[in-house]
Structure formats: C-alpha cells, structure tokens
Amino acid sequence: MSLILVDGSALCYRSHYAFANRPLTAPNGELTSVAYGFFTGILRLIDQYQPDQLVVVLDAKGKNFRHEMYPDYKAQRKPMPEELADQLPRLKELLEAWGVPTLEVPEVEADDVMATLAVRTAPQVDKVWFFTGDKDFMQLLDDRIGMLKPGRRGDEVTPLTADDVRRQYKLEPQELIQVFALAGDKADNIPGAPGIGDKTALKLIQEFGDLDGLYSKLPRSKQTPRIKRVLEENRDQVYLSRDLFIMRSDLDLDLTLEDMATRLPTGSKVRELLQELGLRRVLKLTDELATKFPRFVEGESGAAEPVPASTPAEPAEVDQDSWAARRQDRGYALLDTVDKLKEWLARLDSSAPLAVDTETTGLRRDTADLVGVCLAGTDTQGEDLPPAYVPVRWRDQDADGALEGDTLFPTAPVVNRLDEVREILAPVLACPDSLKVGQNLKFDEWILIRSGLPLQGPRFDTMLASYVLDPGRRSHGLDDLVLDHLDHRMMPFGDLFASGDRQKDILGVDPDRLALYAAEDADYTLRLYRLLEAQLKEAGLEKLFQELEMPVSAVLLTMERNGILIDRKFLAGLRTRFEAELLEMEKKIHHLAGEPFNIQSPKQLAVILFEKLKLKPIKKTATGWSTDVSVLTALAEEHDLPALILEYRQVAKLLNTYVETLPELANRETGLIHTSYNQAVAATGRLSSSDPNLQNIPIRTELGRLIRQAFIPRQPGHVFLSADYSQVELRLLAHLAEDPGLIQAFNDGADVHRRTAALINGVDESEVTSEMRYRAKAINFGVIYGMGARALARQIDVKVAEASAFIETYFATYPGVRTFIDSTVELAREQGWVSTLLGRRRLLPDITSTNNRVRSFAERVAVNTPIQGTAADLIKRAMITLDHELKAAKSPALLLLQVHDELVLEVPAEALEETRDLVVQHMEGALELKVPLLVEAHSGSNWAEAHG
C-alpha cells in the first residue's frame, strides 16, 4: 500500500511555466494550461506508481506562523503571475468535481500539511511519497518516506530515498536541516549565515555534527577567521533559519486513509467540465487508465483501509451482532427503546454533572436534524453509568422498498422517535440542579432547542475551559484535547462508514456502530470536565471562565438564533444592476481599446495597454508585463482605460463575493442569516465570525456600505441600532500606562490625535495641520502593536531616522507609555505570561528565547495583549450585562451582531430612545477606568445607515 502527497502549488507553477510561451486555451478563450498540466501530471503518477491513496495539498493565502517568527520570510518572492492566479478558481472547481482529496490549511504551509500526513500515515502504509522538487522535504525521508522529484520534462520523475541522501551527503536526512540553516534559502528569504554556501555548510555539519557542536567547538577549530567571524556574528540568525526550515508534523488534520483513496476523474461532473474546456487529451488518458486500473474508478472495489484509532473501524461485512458486541465491550449503552432509556435515567443522579452531546445530519445549526443524543453521568452512589447513545432518527433498512448497497441517493425511509424521546428526556435536560457539560456546547444546545429539548441549569464547555487555560493552544477540538490530556485516540468520524462509502449518510449507519462513536464523545467529554475544572481552579481562572466566557457563550447563542435578515430583493436588484454595469463597462472598455478582448486575461490586457495604446510598462513578471492594481492605478493618470478596468474589477469582485453569495447562506424559509461566533480562536480573546464572516465586510468603503444596506430589520416599524466604542484601545492604554498626559487628554474630551500632535510638535492645538494629526494618529495606534521606526517610516512616508526621532519625541511626551511597555515585558519574562484587566492570561513561552526575532515578537505580544485582550473582555462583559438588562426590562430589542467594538441591535422605533440609553449606559459602564469610555450610537433603516 502506498500514498502519494502532491505539492499542488508547485505543480501549478510547473504547469503554468511549461506552456508560458504557448499557453493552452479552451474553445471560449479561457486559459487551460494549469488544468491540463495538473491533471496530466497526477494521471501519470497514477499510471507509473499506482498509489492506493493520493492527496493534493495547496498553499493557503495569507501569512503563516513562520512570518510571526520572521516577518521578512519570503519577502523577496515575486507575486504569483496573474495569468496563473486567474486559473486557480477553475482548477479548484475541477478538483472538487474530480473528488481527489485536496487540502488547503490556513496559517500553515503546504509543506507542513504534507509533513503531518506523511508522519501520521507512514506506519500504516508500505511507502509514502512526496511528489515535489523542494529539497526541504529531504529532512523527512526514512525507510518508509521518499520523494518523487519531477524532471524538466513533464513525464520524468526521479525517486529519491533516505539511502540516496545518505550516499550523496554522508548525513542522515534529518541532519540536513543543520546544513540548510547555515546556507539559507534565497527563494524563501531565509538568511542563514552570509557567505556560507551549500558546500561549506555541508562540510561544517559533516565535521561538527550539528549547530550546537559547531558553535561549541568553533573557537578552537581550524576554520578560517572569516568563517569564524561570520558564524559568530550571525549565530541567532542561523538558529532562526534552522527553526524556519523545520517542517511541522503535528497539525490537526481530520483526514483518514479511507478519505485519501485514489480515484480517477471519471465522474460525470468532472468529465463535463473537461469537455467544456476542450481537454480531450486528459479525457483520453483517463479512459485508458480506467481500463488499465479499474480499482481506481469510483464505485469499484479496492479502496484503502482507514487509519486505525483506539476504536478501529471494522470491515464493511461486520454484522450488527459484532458491532453490538464491540459496543458492549467498551461499556457503552444503546438506549433504543423507551424502557432502556427510562431505566438508564432512573439510575442517574439528577444533581451530578451530566455530559450531553448530539449527532446531527449536518453542521448547519438552523437546518440540521437531530440524529441522536449522547449522555454520560453518574448514579446516586457516585459511580459512572455506562455512557449512552439515544437514537432519535435512522433509516429503516428492513422497510419495504429499501435498496441495499451504496446507492446514489438514500432510499430507506427514516424512523423518527423524537416525540417519545422528548417526553422522557426533556425533563432531565431541563433540570435546573445539574451541571450540563459539553464540548462546543453552543452548537449542541441550538440543535436541542430546535428539537424541543432545551438545557437548563449551569453549563461547562470543555472547549472554552481549554481556551481559557491556554488561548494560544493549537487546537481546542475534542480529539486533540483527549489525546493530549487523556492519552486516548478518539474514533474518527470517517470510521462510521464502510470502506468505499462516498455517500456518508449518518442516518444509514448501524445504530450499534454509531453508538460506539457517539457515546465515546460523551464519555470523554465528562472525563475532560473533571480534569479541566481542577486546572481552572488551580490556575485561578475559574472566575473568568464562569463569569465571562460561559455567560457570553449563552448570549452568543441567543444572537446566533436571532439571526439577521437580508433583503433578497435588494440583492437581486444589485445583481441585475452590477451585471448590467459590467456589460456596459465592457462595451466602453472595448471601445477605448479599439477592439474586443478578454478583460479578465492579464496577457490580452497587456497587449492592449502596452502594444496597442503604447502606454509605458512599469514592472515585469515571469510571463510578461504586469497589469496588477498598482500598475493600473499609476497608468490611470495617463489614460481612461486602466481606470475603467479597475472599476470593472471592483464591481466584479463585489458581485462574486457578496451579492451572489449571501442569499445562498440565508435560511431558505426565513431569509435570516445565522452567523456562527467563535470564542476559542483568537489568543487575545477576540470573537470571530464564520458562515458567513460578517466581521470582514468593509466599513469605510462605498462598496462595503452598499453591502451593509442589504441587512434590514425583520419587521416593519423596526430599526437597527449600532453602538460602537470610540478609541477603546487607546483609552485602555491610557489607563494601563497611567500616563498623566494621555489621561488628561481623554478626561478633557480632547481629540487625542490632535492633542498628541500639538505636544510632539510644540504647537497649539489650533495650529495642528492634517499632516501632523495623521502622523500622531499613526504612532498612537502603532505603539499598541509595537510598531518600529521602519514600519512607521513606511506608513507616514518619511525617512527611518525621522520616524525614529518622532517615536523618541512621543515617548518623551508620554513617558508613562514607555514605562508601561518596559514593565510589562519584564513581568512577562518573570512569570511567562501576561493578563488582561479581567484576568485572562496569554502564555508566552518564547519571551525568553535566545532567538532575537522570536523573542521580539513575544515582547510585542506581551504589550499588545493587555490592551487588545482587555478590549475583547470589555465588550463581552457589556454584552452579558446588556442581555441581562434587556431581558429584565422585557425589552423587545434583539441583540443581533458583534463586530469588533460594535454591537448591532434591532429595535421597534417606539423603543429606540430608551434602548439607546440602556445600551450606551451599560457599554460605557462595563469597566471602570481612569478615563471615560465613550460609545457612539446611531440608528437607521439598514445596517449601513445605522453605522453612521
């Protein structure tokens, strides 16, 4: 059994450049070079190596953890060619239609994802192959892991094994990291030791073994004075380089070998797309391989075995009695009759903690159906009851007309015993005396409420407990917490389904098999609770957990269930309007160009701009002259066409990203959008929003305001009320720094940026120019995030020396700020963490690192966390108080959204003034500071109007 991990991003580039001089196009003119090269490359791999599993891994957009270690990481790398970037959406569409497993994990590189998969799966297969030419992967090679290096020709692949590395370098593969660290990498801008090349680096490690051995023996070694000097002067830089080269293999990836089963692109959807793009050679090669390797055709036999867990999945032919026996061996109960459920509940101590979990038909909380309830608790003697699964819905496979086998659509009728379960279980879940324990309990609670099974009594969320204890932890998911804290590997969700089952219909899973998976969740959630509760008390974090995180979770549940209405007609009108505008702009663009061309093609646009219109090119890419935003903005001063192209792109992006997408995310029956608020993500305590992300809709742009107009009150006569903290982080800085000047500015109600500018420049506030205020504002906010002279110089467009002098003058003006920064860093060094005003902690293990860059980043975090973290705690406390007061006053106002420092409510017009007063009062009074908190509140008939 073998697995191939494809470096998808590298394959994209190779495919693009292979046809750079003669790009392939579809019948409609669309570029297809990347799709053709990508598909043929993978199909040739399947032909040559017949891997049982194959996964494509792509680099996610944005920065990753290495940029935190070294901000200049990959800083010199040229941006992706526009011709290549334009083809990626179509490639991803094709890969999705193909069904080949494709991973793109935010904040880490594809290298780390591939490393994790290789290390995790190597014990389960005969061979893992990396399909990549990146030398960095050599560090992972061993007897089970190798590389397939693509050659210059597309059909050339050279295997590289650990033995090959040993013969060539006279080192073990993992020792190459030390060589890489010394030599650096220009492509990734990893510095290494200046002047130390690959050959010298290799000789040094061959002689001294590793960096520690090299530096310990360097003073007495026979190296030249130059090498000694270079190595000594760049010691920290070399160790940083080593850390940058090390690939992570500990990522939290929910993918089993079964999920990675190799398949050919034979499905109808992918074939239609390939035919549409004119990729006949790909279709022909696919057909040849389907005949040659029928086991790789979806639906045929031969799928891979899943990765064993502590409760491994059984083969598909295991009968129901065997699953029942396995469940009973684990001590788990299946409460599939009224009598069994009553008997289990009769033994339950109603005052003891009760773990509750749900199984559902999906993850969308406003539409998913309850499949079953999982329970774990103790009896009246304090002994653990068998963790239990209560099935609510399942498919009756014995019913007349039910079809056997893996069919395209489920055919067996669904049994629904919710009514009888509700009658028995609802009073237990609603008991006000018992603590309800859950993992990501907010999700389960919404499902239970929709099913008529609301929870009552105090709550304990193990995910949030873990988050409070260590907000910077990589993952707070149940599987990871159980593995780390209880040394147990949970049964993966994929093991619920038989090998080769692409349908993955949870309603069709044998109840005994599902009970084995589901009861384990409740079982280990209860065990985690017992462990984490003690840790919270020991760390002194119990108050933050009980008085802030758990109460705000309840408020967020209310907000999520409230939802916010979108105006579908408005969005439909926008869609029609934008499509018409794009069509009209296209005509104007073609008229200005003097001929029709593909506006979305950078290559065709470049021909128009630089060859036909004779505009002067500004910068070049690997495939020709650039037509990116910066180029078009500069050219817009010379000709009308570039400006119109920019406008066209803006409208097209708005149409695709928002106007067409938001209606798809709204509940079909109500039109309400139910975003999900994530508490256990940001290490500072900030909330994030997803599905959809309503926190990233632009605020200050005209386009952003246009999108916000689509969010409207659900009832006539209602309005939106938006309340936003003003300069909250600066006010918190004034309080924490106890600087008299800053405190006085806020207590005077002054424009703090104008006041700062006047003090720094030695002029009266009335003499402050807009430029002076702009610079003062930049440093007021920049100091919170540890902005240095270089960054400030770039932002305000001055020389570094001038920016440095400006910063020194700032600290001389507000000496308390510098004292706060220095004392906070020193305290963090002593105790290893910093805290907010409400006691939230952020662990800083790197604060004492010998690596300058790593340590500097931790120091900036140490200063920022008390400010930004307290701001996060502040609005959470305001939400809790406000929710309580609205309920106490029986107010008709609904709390809908939290966006950074803003709260959005829906209010009947007649209750607007009293609600505004209530909101402002409790937001401004949420925390007592040495300076006043200020809240600005506005109302309107839609979100844009209410934001002011």
Side-chain angles (χ1 to χ4, degrees), residues 533-709:
E533 184 196 35
Q535 290 183 6
L536 287 170
K537 290 179 179 178
E538 183 180 353
L541 294 169
E542 190 177 25
K543 182 177 180 180
L544 178 74
F545 175 76
Q546 291 181 346
E547 297 184 7
L548 193 71
E549 288 301 334
M550 287 309 302
V552 86
S553 180
V555 177
L556 293 173
L557 174 60
T558 299
M559 292 166 59
E560 291 174 358
R561 293 184 62 228
N562 285 341
I564 187 168
L565 185 66
I566 59 167
D567 189 337
R568 287 172 166 171
K569 289 184 178 180
F570 177 78
L571 287 172
L574 278 184
R575 180 170 184 169
T576 302
R577 169 185 160 186
F578 289 149
E579 287 174 345
E581 286 185 6
L582 288 173
L583 186 60
E584 189 62 30
M585 279 191 281
E586 182 177 353
K587 293 177 181 177
K588 293 180 180 178
I589 289 170
H590 289 166
H591 175 73
L592 287 171
E595 64 179 76
F597 70 99
N598 183 354
I599 300 172
Q600 302 287 15
S601 168
K603 188 167 186 177
Q604 293 185 33
L605 176 59
V607 171
I608 296 294
L609 293 175
F610 308 127
E611 295 182 19
K612 184 164 186 179
L613 299 180
K614 306 298 183 184
L615 296 176
K616 186 178 180 180
I618 296 176
K619 61 181 179 181
K620 201 169 189 178
T621 69
T623 57
W625 293 111
S626 173
T627 58
D628 65 15
V629 174
S630 63
V631 171
L632 292 178
T633 301
L635 294 177
E637 299 179 4
E638 303 176 30
H639 199 281
D640 291 340
L641 180 59
L644 195 55
I645 294 288
L646 286 171
E647 185 180 352
Y648 181 94
R649 289 181 180 179
Q650 284 183 324
V651 176
K653 182 178 180 180
L654 177 64
L655 175 66
N656 298 333
T657 306
Y658 298 111
V659 177
E660 294 179 342
T661 304
L662 286 174
E664 295 298 319
L665 296 173
N667 187 287
R668 294 183 180 273
E669 296 179 3
T670 65
L672 294 170
I673 279 185
H674 301 276
T675 189
S676 177
Y677 285 102
N678 311 306
Q679 285 174 263
V681 175
T684 58
R686 285 278 191 187
L687 298 170
S688 66
S689 164
S690 58
D691 303 319
N693 185 348
L694 298 182
Q695 297 188 334
N696 274 4
I697 297 177
I699 297 174
R700 296 177 178 86
T701 67
E702 186 60 37
L703 297 182
R705 286 189 287 271
L706 197 59
I707 292 300
R708 289 186 175 215
Q709 287 182 37

Side-chain angles (χ1 to χ4, degrees), residues 372-655:
V373 181
C374 324
L375 303 169
T378 57
D379 61 21
T380 54
Q381 305 302 314
E383 298 294 326
D384 286 341
L385 289 172
Y389 175 63
V390 185
V392 172
R393 289 182 175 88
W394 66 90
R395 293 196 185 280
D396 185 2
Q397 304 293 348
D398 297 326
D400 292 339
L403 298 181
E404 296 182 357
D406 185 19
T407 58
L408 182 61
F409 299 104
T411 56
V414 175
V415 177
N416 185 352
R417 62 188 288 246
L418 177 60
D419 289 342
E420 69 178 31
V421 168
R422 184 192 297 119
E423 182 178 354
I424 302 168
L425 188 56
V428 176
L429 297 182
C431 175
D433 299 325
S434 67
L435 175 72
K436 307 305 187 301
V437 178
Q439 167 75 15
N440 191 15
L441 191 56
K442 180 159 59 71
F443 174 91
D444 299 297
E445 193 161 354
W446 189 349
I447 298 295
L448 290 169
I449 290 172
R450 288 183 52 239
S451 304
L453 294 163
L455 299 181
Q456 298 294 331
R459 323 285 210 277
F460 189 105
D461 190 328
T462 50
M463 178 183 74
L464 297 182
S466 170
Y467 175 65
V468 168
L469 285 164
D470 184 2
R473 180 187 162 88
R474 172 176 50 87
S475 168
H476 303 280
L478 181 62
D479 289 6
D480 290 304
L481 293 177
V482 170
L483 183 62
D484 291 349
H485 290 290
L486 300 172
D487 197 25
H488 173 80
R489 192 176 296 278
M490 302 286 283
M491 178 178 177
F493 177 77
D495 284 7
L496 285 177
F497 307 98
S499 178
D501 180 2
R502 306 300 178 194
Q503 188 176 300
K504 290 183 170 51
D505 174 28
I506 194 171
L507 291 169
V509 176
D510 180 329
D512 273 299
R513 187 172 190 163
L514 184 53
L516 190 63
Y517 166 83
E520 184 181 56
D521 283 355
D523 177 11
Y524 279 87
T525 297
L526 187 61
R527 299 188 195 202
L528 267 181
Y529 152 72
R530 293 165 178 163
L531 180 74
L532 298 180
E533 184 196 35
Q535 290 183 6
L536 287 170
K537 290 179 179 178
E538 183 180 353
L541 294 169
E542 190 177 25
K543 182 177 180 180
L544 178 74
F545 175 76
Q546 291 181 346
E547 297 184 7
L548 193 71
E549 288 301 334
M550 287 309 302
V552 86
S553 180
V555 177
L556 293 173
L557 174 60
T558 299
M559 292 166 59
E560 291 174 358
R561 293 184 62 228
N562 285 341
I564 187 168
L565 185 66
I566 59 167
D567 189 337
R568 287 172 166 171
K569 289 184 178 180
F570 177 78
L571 287 172
L574 278 184
R575 180 170 184 169
T576 302
R577 169 185 160 186
F578 289 149
E579 287 174 345
E581 286 185 6
L582 288 173
L583 186 60
E584 189 62 30
M585 279 191 281
E586 182 177 353
K587 293 177 181 177
K588 293 180 180 178
I589 289 170
H590 289 166
H591 175 73
L592 287 171
E595 64 179 76
F597 70 99
N598 183 354
I599 300 172
Q600 302 287 15
S601 168
K603 188 167 186 177
Q604 293 185 33
L605 176 59
V607 171
I608 296 294
L609 293 175
F610 308 127
E611 295 182 19
K612 184 164 186 179
L613 299 180
K614 306 298 183 184
L615 296 176
K616 186 178 180 180
I618 296 176
K619 61 181 179 181
K620 201 169 189 178
T621 69
T623 57
W625 293 111
S626 173
T627 58
D628 65 15
V629 174
S630 63
V631 171
L632 292 178
T633 301
L635 294 177
E637 299 179 4
E638 303 176 30
H639 199 281
D640 291 340
L641 180 59
L644 195 55
I645 294 288
L646 286 171
E647 185 180 352
Y648 181 94
R649 289 181 180 179
Q650 284 183 324
V651 176
K653 182 178 180 180
L654 177 64
L655 175 66

Side-chain angles (χ1 to χ4, degrees), residues 7 11 100 178 191 251 263 306 324 420 477 484 495 683 713 838 858:
D7 185 346
L11 184 53
V100 62
Q178 318 289 330
L251 303 182
R263 67 200 70 175
E420 69 178 31
D484 291 349
D495 284 7
L838 295 187

Side-chain angles (χ1 to χ4, degrees), residues 781-841:
F781 284 112
V783 72
I784 297 173
Y785 298 98
M787 181 184 289
R790 292 186 181 276
L792 181 62
R794 284 194 299 268
Q795 182 168 337
I796 63 177
D797 194 23
V798 298
K799 293 182 178 180
V800 174
E802 187 177 350
S804 179
F806 192 54
I807 290 174
E808 288 303 314
T809 305
Y810 176 89
F811 284 131
T813 304
Y814 299 129
V817 174
R818 170 163 277 172
T819 300
F820 162 72
I821 291 173
D822 293 343
S823 61
T824 300
V825 170
E826 186 57 36
L827 182 62
R829 232 180 245 119
E830 292 176 5
Q831 59 189 18
W833 48 268
V834 290
S835 64
T836 66
L837 289 178
L838 295 187
R840 182 185 306 279
R841 290 183 185 177

Side-chain angles (χ1 to χ4, degrees), residues 33 71 90 217 360 393 401 412 558 715 720 748 842 899 947:
S33 302
R90 176 66 91 174
K217 300 173 183 177
T360 64
R393 289 182 175 88
T558 299
Q715 291 187 36
F720 280 159
D748 290 346
R842 184 167 181 180
V899 182
H947 190 72

